[in-house]
Amino acid sequence: MIVSIDVDAQKTFTPLCPNELPVVGGDEIANELNAQAELANFRVMTKDAHSPHAQWLCDLPAEILQTTGLPDAPEKWVSHAMIGTYGFELLDNLPEETEYDFCVWKGVSPQLHPYGACFHDVRERLSTGLIEWLTVRGATVIIVGGLATDYCVKSTVLQLLRGGDWRVVVNQAACRGIAADTVAAAWDEMAAAGAIILDNAVAVAQYLQAA
């Protein structure tokens, strides 16, 4: 059973929202996400979903990644993916939320700012239900793409690799990251943990046919 996951493919992480957390090329991945989903039996969506009362908010980009002292939101971030805003929306040309088979909304509570899609908290004690849902569906291969490579994609992939007896494939063409050094480190970390890193959906299709 093959499952495709769109990780935080939202406008907040694109140049469409320059005052939030714009990732270069973040608005270019919808077609690749759709292509990888064509290879799957089920499609999952994850979204950052934040409150204007979030305790990790900062006013200036220079304050990003400063420590907060909060166990489940350790770094500061500027306002992004606030529920109901333009940045909260999925990228154009992706399905409506109700068309996905399973959805995860992350960071709704003001004191939480998780990166991975499998747990509501950074300490990984509060399940979002994603691992359990994948287990019940009998997932054997999970294809991952989304935003951003060096944070939410990486964390989600590492959680999935620890969470079940399935192969995790990461579609590079369906991902974009924040900084070159942390992106490179993320690819290395995911590969070292056992992720299968492939160039694009065509390569994913070839891998699935050969497996």
Side-chain angles (χ1 to χ4, degrees):
M1 192 67 65
I2 302 172
V3 179
S4 180
I5 302 182
D6 299 354
V7 176
D8 299 1
Q10 296 166 262
K11 293 173 181 175
T12 191
F13 300 117
T14 77
L16 299 170
C17 294
N19 296 321
E20 297 187 26
L21 291 174
V23 175
V24 175
D27 53 340
E28 300 170 353
I29 66 170
N31 288 341
E32 271 294 319
L33 289 172
N34 289 333
Q36 72 181 40
E38 288 292 324
L39 306 172
N41 304 102
F42 296 101
R43 188 172 190 176
V44 171
M45 176 215 77
T46 84
K47 288 179 80 172
D48 266 9
H50 298 315
S51 163
H53 305 293
Q55 297 173 17
W56 43 262
L57 283 171
C58 62
D59 295 325
L60 302 173
E63 298 176 292
I64 290 175
L65 295 181
Q66 290 182 5
T67 57
T68 64
L70 301 170
D72 291 306
E75 294 98 10
K76 293 183 178 180
W77 294 96
V78 295
S79 176
H80 64 282
M82 295 294 157
I83 296 172
T85 66
Y86 180 68
F88 177 69
E89 296 177 6
L90 291 172
L91 300 178
D92 292 340
N93 300 319
L94 292 182
E96 296 294 327
E97 292 180 359
T98 52
E99 296 176 24
Y100 285 86
D101 298 296
F102 190 83
C103 299
V104 175
W105 289 271
K106 302 158 46 211
V108 177
S109 296
Q111 70 272 25
L112 302 179
H113 191 277
Y115 297 123
C118 299
F119 296 92
H120 289 296
D121 61 323
V122 172
R123 292 173 287 179
E124 299 188 357
R125 300 183 304 172
L126 303 173
S127 175
T128 63
L130 177 57
I131 288 174
E132 292 81 359
W133 183 87
L134 291 167
T135 301
V136 169
R137 289 292 181 274
T140 55
V141 178
I142 303 170
I143 311 168
V144 180
L147 304 169
T149 307
D150 32 353
Y151 286 91
C152 296
V153 171
K154 180 188 78 171
S155 295
T156 298
V157 167
L158 295 178
Q159 289 175 350
L160 290 168
L161 288 165
R162 297 192 297 267
D165 185 22
W166 40 58
R167 289 170 287 164
V168 180
V169 177
V170 190
N171 177 6
Q172 287 186 304
C175 298
R176 297 290 187 277
I178 293 175
D181 56 343
T182 52
V183 168
W187 290 124
D188 289 343
E189 189 174 353
M190 287 187 280
I196 300 156
I197 312 296
L198 297 174
D199 290 342
N200 50 42
V202 173
V204 174
Q206 293 170 343
Y207 167 79
L208 294 172
Q209 290 170 358

